[in-house]
Amino acid sequence: MISPIVSVSREGSAPGAPSLVDALEGGAVLMFPDLDFPFSPFEERFVERPFADGKAKNVNIRGEAASLRGAAGTPEEQEALRQLLIRYRAFADALIARYLPTYAGKIALAGTSYRPFEVDQRKLSWRRDDTRLHVDAFPSNPIGEKRILRIFRNINPEGQPRLWRVGEDFASMAQKFVPKLPGYSPLSARLLAALKITKARRSEYDHLMLHLHDALKQDMAYQADAPQADVRFAPGQTWVTFSDLVMHGAMGGRYMLEQTAYLRVADQADPERSPQRILARTLGRPLR
Ligand code: SIN
Ligand code: FE
């Protein structure tokens, strides 16, 4: 099954319809066509040219202090961009509270990013090439029993869509790839943590997700032939998905905002639908 795109009106899902959390945990992308996130006249400049130093893939704020990284511009402009990202973080938080109330108080908001560059303009290594179908995994930041929920918004001022591909369901993909992955070594996981190469001990889940991410991106036959669908996210649209579960690739577009959030597997409506539990079922045993 290919991940469905579920359009959600401002009013939310109709009474009696399957809940949004149910769709999301099942691998859907929720797409909100018309939520408001207005820019002030001063902020319009952030979609007229990239306010980025060009060294990193994008500009972001992190942590309690919301310190801005990777930005360019005058101090006044950089502070305005920082405030825009703080406002987007609050917008994402409010979206979760309003449309995914099951998760209220259980979500931890992480990084917020401004992505002003054209997706396929920059020649990246295969591993960083997000045009290839993949599920998200963070090499230096093991996430263990947490899920990655992302809230995206296309802020392109010229009508340019964000072009994505979405792929088949996680379980079908895992059946094809898990048998080919190298085995997990608890010893080398402890070593990576001791050497501070990873911020915490890499669990078997983290190990599998990193190798899945790489194996998927390196398999050009799979990239070309796997079940997949093209998706266009128009300017003004907001979309939400578990990017550790939903196979995706970004094919084009520029100017987007993105919020990353974490949710513990135990705090899902149905933990059995997490990639953690799907991988355990694929292997026929609990993960270490
Ligand atoms: C990704 O998460 O793979 C990239 C999403 C995007 O840039 O649209
Ligand atoms: Fe991704």
Side-chain angles (χ1 to χ4, degrees), residues 140-216:
S140 63
N141 194 6
I143 57 164
E145 281 283 296
K146 295 198 295 289
R147 302 294 314 282
I148 306 171
L149 183 67
R150 288 189 140 156
I151 299 99
F152 301 93
R153 185 179 174 92
N154 185 350
I155 53 167
N156 188 282
E158 288 167 342
Q160 205 183 333
R162 192 79 175 182
L163 300 175
W164 270 30
R165 292 191 279 168
V166 292
E168 65 182 331
D169 62 278
F170 190 95
S172 303
M173 176 278 287
Q175 264 168 20
K176 293 170 195 158
F177 282 87
V178 166
K180 301 191 254 189
L181 304 181
Y184 172 66
S185 157
L187 184 65
S188 63
R190 279 207 297 277
L191 203 60
L192 288 174
L195 295 172
K196 303 234 185 322
I197 294 169
T198 53
K199 290 178 189 152
R201 190 183 68 90
R202 191 178 279 174
S203 65
E204 183 171 24
Y205 172 68
D206 294 307
H207 165 88
L208 290 169
M209 290 298 276
L210 280 176
H211 285 281
L212 268 179
H213 174 274
D214 288 1
L216 286 163

Side-chain angles (χ1 to χ4, degrees), residues 218-240:
Q218 283 188 285
D219 189 335
M220 293 318 276
Y222 182 82
Q223 291 292 327
D225 302 333
Q228 54 190 279
D230 293 325
V231 190
R232 300 164 69 89
F233 297 109
Q237 293 186 342
T238 307
W239 61 106
V240 180

Side-chain angles (χ1 to χ4, degrees), residues 115 130 134 136 150 152 162 164 248 250 256:
R115 305 183 179 204
D130 286 338
H134 65 282
D136 289 348
R150 288 189 140 156
F152 301 93
R162 192 79 175 182
W164 270 30
H248 63 280
M256 186 180 73

Side-chain angles (χ1 to χ4, degrees), residues 50-61 67-73 78 81 114 116-117:
F51 281 71
D53 65 17
K55 289 181 201 131
K57 237 166 142 179
N58 44 57
V59 175
N60 57 61
I61 52 167
S67 45
L68 187 69
R69 292 195 283 184
Q78 293 199 34
L81 181 55
Y114 157 71
F117 295 114

Side-chain angles (χ1 to χ4, degrees), residues 20-75:
L20 297 180
V21 162
D22 185 57
L24 198 60
E25 293 191 3
V29 178
L30 303 182
M31 193 280 287
F32 300 82
D34 55 5
L35 300 180
D36 296 319
F37 187 74
F39 277 42
S40 72
F42 187 90
E43 289 168 339
E44 296 294 341
R45 72 194 65 207
F46 300 129
V47 292
E48 283 160 5
R49 62 183 176 87
F51 281 71
D53 65 17
K55 289 181 201 131
K57 237 166 142 179
N58 44 57
V59 175
N60 57 61
I61 52 167
R62 291 279 169 86
E64 282 287 293
S67 45
L68 187 69
R69 292 195 283 184
T74 66

Side-chain angles (χ1 to χ4, degrees), residues 95-107:
L95 184 157
I96 293 165
R98 165 79 175 84
Y99 296 99
L100 305 168
T102 319
Y103 297 157
K106 295 172 176 167
I107 290 277

